[in-house]
Amino acid sequence: MQYAIGVDIGGTKVATAIVDEAGNVLTESIISTDLSIRAIKMVEKINNEIEQVIKRTGIPIEQLIGIGIGAPGPLDSKHGIITSPPNLRGWIDVPISQLVEQHFSIPVSLENDANAAAMAEKLTGAAQENNNFAYITVSTGIGAGIMAEGKLLRGLKGNAGDIGHTVIDPSFGKCTCGQDGCLEWIASGTAIARQGSLIMGKEISTKEVFNLYFGGNEEIVHLIGKVFRVLGIACVSVINTFDTEKIVIGGGVSKVGDPLFQSIQAYVGEFALNETGRQTEIVPAKLEQSAGVIGAAALCFNR
């Protein structure tokens, strides 16, 4: 049996786990992402957590085939550098692969977090039988991992799949990236909370917006209807571009359940360009809690 370390770095927490080649998590540790300290100090904390999970399992380091790291982009996966993620304030050109590899003397791989989650869904989640699929996360932001003919589509530096900054409808106003009407500006969890707060005249959370939606608030129902349609448009664009057989949707917004998936499936069934595209399955992710660490570890198994 082969083992790898998976590290999932997010804006609020870092998860670290030992994962076997079947995708089973042996042990996992979660710490807060401290953005008040220098990035190199946070990497030292991550190295310490890696040491602790290794100790807890008792697996000799010689049996670990590598360490995989999933992190938000932009990044340079080919050179192991986290370049400038908006969710990791102050992490500018951090050579994280080098820093971790020097500490443990075993190979380290860096990947965009959405790509890592796609790897996890392929290894042991909702897309095990699929070689052409997209994993889309709809959470604080929106991103995608694209699997084409059984291989992860990375692009020049590992940032392929950043569909959140595809322009959908300029009438929604200026996104944080500077463009007008980006998908993420309209349909992410953050966007839903922002627009719901404007409607209600007070600051409310994404969860509270959906509570109002299920409660039948007319204006909120109209808002969420637009959001679901925009997500349908995004899925059709992915299907038409990459000829996928399945789209796996994860992230906090996916927890709304059937109304979301039924709406997107109906839109895809009507508007995808060809017959096979219109039959694309739209399904929820299976590995929400552990997708990041499993996918990061899978980078080592699939190196």
Side-chain angles (χ1 to χ4, degrees):
M1 179 68 74
Q2 292 185 318
Y3 304 94
I5 301 287
V7 180
D8 180 26
I9 301 175
T12 58
K13 64 183 177 66
V14 178
T16 304
I18 289 187
V19 180
D20 67 25
E21 59 189 307
N24 300 307
V25 175
L26 277 64
T27 186
E28 185 173 5
S29 166
I30 296 177
I31 61 173
S32 297
T33 304
D34 189 348
L35 298 178
S36 69
I37 61 176
R38 293 172 59 215
I40 194 168
K41 291 295 183 182
M42 190 63 215
V43 175
E44 289 175 5
K45 286 190 173 187
I46 292 170
N47 284 338
N48 181 65
E49 288 305 304
I50 294 172
E51 290 176 351
Q52 295 306 311
V53 296
I54 293 171
K55 286 179 182 178
R56 283 208 295 270
T57 58
I59 295 173
I61 196 166
E62 295 78 18
Q63 285 187 241
L64 297 172
I65 64 169
I67 298 171
I69 301 172
L75 46 72
D76 183 344
S77 63
K78 295 180 181 179
H79 295 96
I81 300 171
I82 296 176
T83 55
S84 56
N87 292 339
L88 293 175
R89 187 182 65 257
W91 287 51
I92 308 297
D93 295 332
V94 179
I96 191 164
S97 292
Q98 178 186 344
L99 294 170
V100 176
E101 193 165 317
Q102 285 176 345
H103 190 91
F104 293 98
S105 298
I106 56 176
V108 176
S109 299
L110 174 68
E111 193 61 75
N112 180 284
D113 50 6
N115 286 351
M119 293 288 290
E121 294 294 337
K122 172 63 177 172
L123 179 65
T124 188
Q128 294 177 60
E129 74 279 14
N130 305 111
N131 285 325
N132 294 279
F133 73 93
Y135 169 86
I136 298 176
T137 179
V138 187
S139 189
T140 304
I142 296 178
I146 310 294
M147 192 75 72
E149 297 184 3
K151 296 181 179 180
L152 194 62
L153 185 64
R154 291 182 167 90
L156 179 64
K157 292 192 174 183
N159 295 303
D162 197 352
I163 64 170
H165 295 287
T166 301
V167 172
I168 299 289
D169 186 345
S171 71
F172 277 85
K174 192 173 295 295
C175 176
T176 54
C177 77
Q179 296 191 102
D180 290 325
C182 287
L183 172 63
E184 186 170 297
W185 182 250
I186 302 169
S188 65
T190 307
I192 291 168
R194 185 191 74 249
Q195 294 171 91
S197 297
L198 286 172
I199 290 170
M200 301 307 296
K202 62 179 181 179
E203 189 169 336
I204 58 175
S205 67
T206 309
K207 183 179 179 180
E208 289 170 321
V209 173
F210 279 112
N211 287 341
L212 290 166
Y213 167 74
F214 286 113
N217 180 287
E218 189 173 337
E219 287 184 281
I220 295 296
V221 168
H222 180 66
L223 166 66
I224 298 303
K226 288 194 296 183
V227 167
F228 288 171
R229 180 178 173 83
V230 164
L231 290 171
I233 292 169
C235 287
V236 165
S237 296
V238 169
I239 292 164
N240 290 348
T241 304
F242 298 104
D243 199 19
T244 55
E245 55 190 316
K246 179 180 284 183
I247 291 183
V248 180
I249 301 179
V253 173
S254 70
K255 301 302 185 195
V256 70
D258 287 346
L260 169 69
F261 288 93
Q262 290 171 2
S263 176
I264 294 175
Q265 191 76 68
Y267 191 93
V268 167
E270 184 174 357
F271 292 109
L273 191 59
N274 58 63
E275 181 59 32
T276 55
R278 292 191 288 274
Q279 295 174 10
T280 301
E281 291 182 84
I282 312 297
V283 303
K286 284 189 176 179
L287 303 171
E288 280 302 327
Q289 296 304 314
S290 299
V293 291
I294 293 172
L299 301 173
C300 304
F301 301 130
N302 289 276
R303 183 178 292 116

